[in-house]
């Protein structure tokens, strides 16, 4: 645990009266039923995320208020109001209906942060389809794997991404019937075997009935990575909207007149839960920037768009820190009043940097794909201990678990003990399944009545109830905030004719947290060389895409394996970092 001085909240840190000021009192008073009452009013007693996020406002006072302000280099800003968003998402729902897509069927989206992506996701939810966003920096293999696991019937993407990443793999995706393309140049698209989304939207009507979904109906499918096997499809439900509403209030302190900027891409869960749903629920205006990170641009957007609440990630903050103190001196941020961050450990220096450079501390918070929403957070209601993830939000019970030899777990009462972070089930956005993998899902729960969800993270809690991240209990890699499964990378490398075996680790990196590093041994007849190393890097990048591919590859004569044949990634990592090798009793002799 860091011993950095606590950042005490001052009046200057709280430029408006916060939603959440009394931690203990609010936790005592809180109930999910009362959040449910806030969200009541949907016709017929149904619950649909798109209705809650868009229609609720589109027919009322916020009809003409900007819901999304889209920014992209070389184009004028495009503002889409709540009323227009309702019309567009309704049209998209009609497009799906016209294609014969039924409730519960899977619609995948693969695009950058363009307006059509937001419309397709909200329209898909409105229609009662299950929406699965894919990161646009994925390569063809992660895309096809996920579409197949999720039995995608529809894919919405752009002409450029389609030609680059999907077209050649189309016959490997047998469930995929309809590909709807957005032309990146703004015109039409006529690629054989696909449909032009703009034309379909133009022909569709403005009115559609919102699907009569209930709280337990499946809404979103977010893929996440584990240590072994294929990616896991975390199943989420429409009822999750209660968590999005509550956390938007408590952890992001959203107020009606905010200009909010979530920098996460909707290809990952943060960009959906907090880049789309939570701000819309609260009727705030969101800035969406299509461009990649650029320090000058980001400071400019914070200033020029008058951003008030900013939700970003440690890698981005470290990149801003690296870009130096000169750039921010050129800008002013008088509107900015609350900053939060998620996805990876936030260094204490970064929390303090926020205070120095932007005039505000950064509020780290913790959650994961499976939890659907923020669980543990630094909030306006208490002082920040830099380096800590904060405290459980109202409605969330967390614990540190001790594992016993017989496999059972019990909560650790004492402070300062390391164990697995667990959450008591019962919050509305908890994932309901790993798609088609009941056994893997069941393994996540333990304790009496299986009431504890084990997160796979190691953490400890201090005497004041603050939680501190220690590390992952498994081998998954967090690079630039994106969770990467080593198995997926190893499998792609193994497809190269020269590779006999591959082991992939996360190598600590001061900016992006971890970079993906692969160790490979070669088949007979192949010799290690710089040319082969570059060829393997290129092969992996082509298949996996820039977001997942290894940045470094090293050759080894053979990889350390357990006697049962599993590659010991832990040992590869210890050797790479010059750390003690730990327990090697299961190591196969000679590795
Ligand atoms: P994902 O499911 O891709 O959102 O990744 C979730 C994982 O990211 C968690 O299980 C943690 O390992 C890590 N993570 C998320 N937020 C934090 C945080 N504030 N501090 C440390 N690790 C975090």
């Amino acid at each position: 645990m860091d011993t950095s001085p606590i950042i005490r909240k001052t009046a200057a840190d709280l430029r408006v009266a916060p939603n959440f000021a009394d931690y203990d009192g609010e936790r005592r008073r809180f109930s999910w039923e009362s959040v449910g009452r806030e969200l009541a009013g949907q016709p017929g007693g149904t619950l649909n995320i798109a209705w809650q996020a868009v229609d609720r406002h589109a027919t009322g006072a916020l009809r003409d208020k900007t819901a999304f302000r889209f920014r992209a280099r070389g184009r004028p800003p495009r503002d889409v109001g709540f009323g227009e968003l309702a019309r567009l998402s309704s049209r998209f729902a009609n497009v799906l209906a016209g294609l014969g897509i039924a409730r519960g069927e899977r619609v995948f989206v693969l695009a950058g942060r363009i307006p059509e992506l937001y419309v397709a996701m909200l329209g898909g939810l409105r229609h009662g389809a299950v929406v699965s966003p894919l990161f646009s920096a994925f390569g063809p293999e992660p895309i096809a794997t996920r579409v197949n696991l999720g039995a995608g019937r529809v894919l919405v993407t752009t002409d450029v991404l389609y030609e680059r990443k999907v077209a050649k793999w189309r016959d490997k995706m047998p469930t995929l019937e309809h590909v709807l393309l957005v032309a990146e140049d703004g015109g039409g698209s006529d690629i054989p075997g696909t449909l032009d989304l703009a034309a379909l939207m133009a022909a569709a009507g403005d009115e559609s009935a919102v699907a009569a979904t209930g709280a337990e109906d499946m809404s979103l499918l977010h893929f996440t990575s584990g240590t072994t096997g294929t990616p896991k499809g975390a199943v989420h439900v429409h009822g999750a909207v209660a968590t999005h509403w509550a956390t938007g209030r408590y952890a992001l302190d959203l107020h009606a007149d905010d200009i909010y900027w979530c920098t996460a891409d909707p290809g990952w869960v943060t960009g959906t839960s907090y880049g789309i749903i939570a701000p819309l629920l609260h009727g705030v205006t969101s800035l969406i920037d299509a461009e990649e990170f650029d320090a000058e641009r980001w400071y400019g957007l914070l200033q020029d768009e008058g951003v008030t609440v900013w939700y970003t990630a440690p890698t981005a903050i470290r990149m801003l820190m690296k870009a130096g103190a000169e750039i921010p001196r050129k800008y002013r941020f008088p509107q900015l009043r609350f900053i939060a961050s998620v996805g990876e450990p936030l260094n204490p220096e970064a929390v303090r940097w926020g205070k120095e450079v932007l005039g505000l501390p950064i509020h780290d918070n913790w959650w994961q794909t499976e939890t659907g929403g923020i669980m543990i957070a630094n909030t306006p209601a208490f002082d920040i201990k830099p380096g800590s993830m904060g405290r459980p939000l109202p409605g969330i019970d967390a614990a540190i678990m001790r594992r016993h030899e017989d496999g059972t777990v019990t909560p650790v009462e004492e402070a300062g003990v390391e164990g697995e972070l667990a959450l008591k089930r019962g919050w509305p956005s908890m994932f309901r399944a790993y798609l088609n993998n009941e056994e893997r899902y069941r393994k996540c729960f333990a304790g009496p009545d299986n009431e504890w969800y084990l997160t796979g993270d190691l953490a400890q809690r201090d005497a004041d109830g603050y939680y501190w991240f220690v590390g992952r209990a498994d081998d998954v890699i967090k690079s630039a905030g994106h969770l990467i499964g080593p198995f997926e990378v190893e499998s792609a490398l193994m497809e190269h004719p020269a590779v006999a075996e591959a082991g992939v680790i996360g190598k600590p990196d001061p900016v992006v947290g971890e970079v993906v590093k692969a160790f490979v041994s070669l088949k007979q007849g192949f010799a290690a060389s710089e040319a082969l190393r570059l060829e393997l890097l290129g092969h992996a990048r082509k298949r996996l895409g820039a977001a997942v591919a290894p940045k470094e590859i090293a050759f080894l004569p053979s990889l350390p394996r357990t006697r049962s044949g599993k590659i010991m990634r832990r040992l590869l990592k210890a050797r790479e970092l010059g750390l003690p090798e730990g327990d090697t009793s299961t190591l196969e002799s000679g590795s």
Side-chain angles (χ1 to χ4, degrees):
M1 280 186 250
D2 195 83
T3 49
S4 302
I6 292 180
I7 299 186
R8 304 250 173 238
K9 288 287 161 64
T10 64
D13 292 335
L14 303 173
R15 291 175 194 162
V16 298
N19 295 327
F20 186 24
D22 168 16
Y23 182 73
D24 295 321
E26 199 79 29
R27 270 179 69 82
R28 239 188 348 264
R29 285 188 294 275
F30 181 89
S31 74
W32 287 113
E33 290 71 37
S34 65
V35 175
R37 283 194 291 278
E38 294 278 348
L39 297 171
Q42 191 167 331
T46 57
L47 189 68
N48 182 286
I49 292 177
W51 188 91
Q52 295 287 343
V54 184
D55 292 70
R56 160 189 291 277
H57 307 301
T59 48
L62 302 187
R63 187 184 308 126
D64 298 320
K65 180 176 177 177
T66 300
F68 290 128
R69 162 161 267 223
F70 293 99
R71 293 286 311 260
R73 218 174 241 131
R75 292 190 189 166
R78 173 161 175 214
D79 292 346
V80 176
F82 281 94
E84 188 183 353
L85 195 55
R87 270 193 308 282
L88 291 172
S89 49
S90 201
R91 275 180 181 241
F92 186 79
N94 283 329
V95 168
L96 292 181
L99 296 173
I101 303 304
R103 246 174 81 177
E105 292 193 305
R106 319 282 156 67
V107 173
F108 279 72
V109 289
L110 169 78
R113 293 176 292 282
I114 56 173
E116 291 83 351
L117 171 118
Y118 294 78
V119 167
M121 288 185 69
L122 289 162
L125 291 169
R126 180 190 179 92
H127 184 64
V130 173
V131 177
S132 188
L134 297 174
F135 190 38
S136 56
F138 278 159
E141 207 160 277
I143 294 168
T145 303
R146 287 159 178 77
V147 169
N148 287 336
L149 286 169
R153 265 195 89 188
V154 177
L155 173 69
V156 180
T157 185
T158 71
D159 50 357
V160 174
L161 289 171
Y162 179 76
E163 298 221 285
R164 215 188 291 152
K165 303 182 175 197
V166 182
K168 280 201 218 91
W169 291 62
R170 181 95 184 253
D171 57 356
K172 295 202 173 80
M173 292 178 264
T175 61
L176 190 58
E177 280 170 63
H178 307 289
V179 175
L180 316 187
L181 295 186
V182 179
E184 288 199 12
D185 66 4
S189 143
D190 55 4
I191 299 175
T194 69
L195 297 165
D196 179 34
L197 180 62
L200 292 173
M201 287 289 279
D206 274 346
E207 305 283 329
S208 73
V210 179
T213 43
E216 286 303 309
D217 280 321
M218 192 166 160
S219 57
L220 286 146
L221 181 62
H222 285 294
F223 283 92
T224 184
S225 297
T227 307
T228 54
T230 52
K232 300 171 284 183
V235 169
H236 287 281
V237 294
H238 281 272
V241 75
T243 304
H244 301 140
W245 186 90
T247 49
R249 177 176 166 78
Y250 293 113
L252 300 176
D253 197 40
L254 293 176
H255 285 55
D257 54 358
D258 275 321
I259 306 288
Y260 166 79
W261 184 20
C262 169
T263 59
D265 189 277
W268 304 92
V269 71
T270 307
T272 304
S273 294
Y274 297 100
I276 305 178
I277 302 169
L280 292 176
L281 289 174
H282 286 273
V284 309
T285 297
S286 278
L287 170 66
I288 310 282
D289 186 35
E291 307 305 329
E292 291 314 312
F293 175 87
D294 170 335
E296 191 90 44
R297 180 175 176 88
W298 279 32
Y299 287 121
L301 285 172
L302 284 171
Q303 169 185 283
D304 300 342
E305 296 293 344
V307 174
T308 58
V309 175
W310 191 36
Y311 193 23
T312 189
T315 292
I317 294 165
R318 290 190 292 261
M319 293 203 295
L320 287 176
M321 291 166 76
K322 201 171 157 203
E326 277 310 304
I327 311 177
R329 275 198 208 111
K330 295 189 271 178
Y331 298 91
R332 294 281 169 273
F333 317 101
Q335 324 273 8
L336 195 59
R337 64 170 190 83
F338 192 78
I339 310 176
S341 152
V342 71
E344 353 147 31
L346 184 68
N347 339 35
E349 308 84 272
V351 179
R352 286 190 295 271
W353 170 89
K355 187 104 176 118
E356 280 157 33
V357 174
L358 301 170
L360 298 165
I362 297 172
H363 297 76
D364 185 21
N365 61 51
W366 178 96
W367 60 291
Q368 52 179 201
T369 304
E370 287 85 346
T371 71
I374 303 170
M375 300 282 109
I376 295 176
N378 287 286
T379 73
F382 45 88
D383 296 331
I384 295 176
K385 295 190 188 186
S388 153
M389 317 189 284
R391 301 159 88 186
L393 289 175
I396 305 301
D397 288 318
I400 300 295
M401 289 292 173
R402 177 176 287 136
R403 235 177 229 284
H404 303 285
E405 274 180 10
D406 63 357
T408 59
V409 296
T410 45
V412 178
E413 299 302 333
E414 319 85 275
V417 177
E418 186 181 313
E420 189 163 347
L421 177 62
L423 302 162
K424 197 178 265 179
R425 65 196 305 162
W427 75 96
S429 66
M430 187 183 85
F431 71 134
R432 297 298 196 272
Y434 284 130
L435 193 71
N436 305 331
N437 198 344
E438 179 57 31
E439 192 193 336
R440 184 74 191 73
Y441 184 69
R442 229 180 304 117
K443 277 195 189 144
C444 296
F445 295 87
D449 299 326
N450 277 337
E451 65 178 358
W452 289 101
Y453 162 63
L454 297 166
T455 66
D457 279 3
L458 301 174
Q460 45 181 285
R461 184 186 58 237
D462 70 16
D464 300 321
Y466 285 68
Y467 282 75
W468 299 74
F469 181 78
V470 173
R472 287 287 307 186
D474 57 17
D475 290 338
V476 291
I477 299 161
K478 257 280 156 128
S479 187
H482 304 143
L483 201 69
I484 296 168
F487 183 75
E488 201 167 14
V489 182
E490 289 159 3
S491 306
L493 284 167
M494 298 280 292
E495 282 163 27
H496 189 281
V499 175
E501 40 179 15
V504 168
I505 63 161
K507 177 179 161 185
D509 179 272
V511 177
V512 296
E514 293 182 305
V515 290
V516 179
K517 174 156 189 174
F519 296 89
V520 296
S521 67
L522 299 175
K523 284 189 188 148
Q524 285 261 316
F526 290 91
S529 68
E530 183 55 14
L532 182 56
R533 204 180 61 78
L534 293 176
E535 187 181 318
L536 290 178
L537 282 169
H539 160 88
R541 201 182 155 96
K542 212 164 132 209
R543 287 183 175 241
L544 296 167
V548 182
K551 299 281 180 294
E552 294 180 26
I553 293 182
F555 295 107
L556 289 177
S558 68
L559 300 189
R561 285 179 181 273
T562 60
R563 275 185 228 118
S564 60
K566 266 206 233 148
I567 289 179
M568 291 182 83
R569 301 188 187 109
R570 180 179 59 75
L571 201 58
L572 284 171
K573 190 160 179 170
R575 288 177 182 171
E576 170 73 19
L577 304 180
L579 296 172
E581 296 195 354
D583 179 7
T584 53
S585 57
T586 60
L587 184 65
E588 194 185 46
S589 56
S591 357

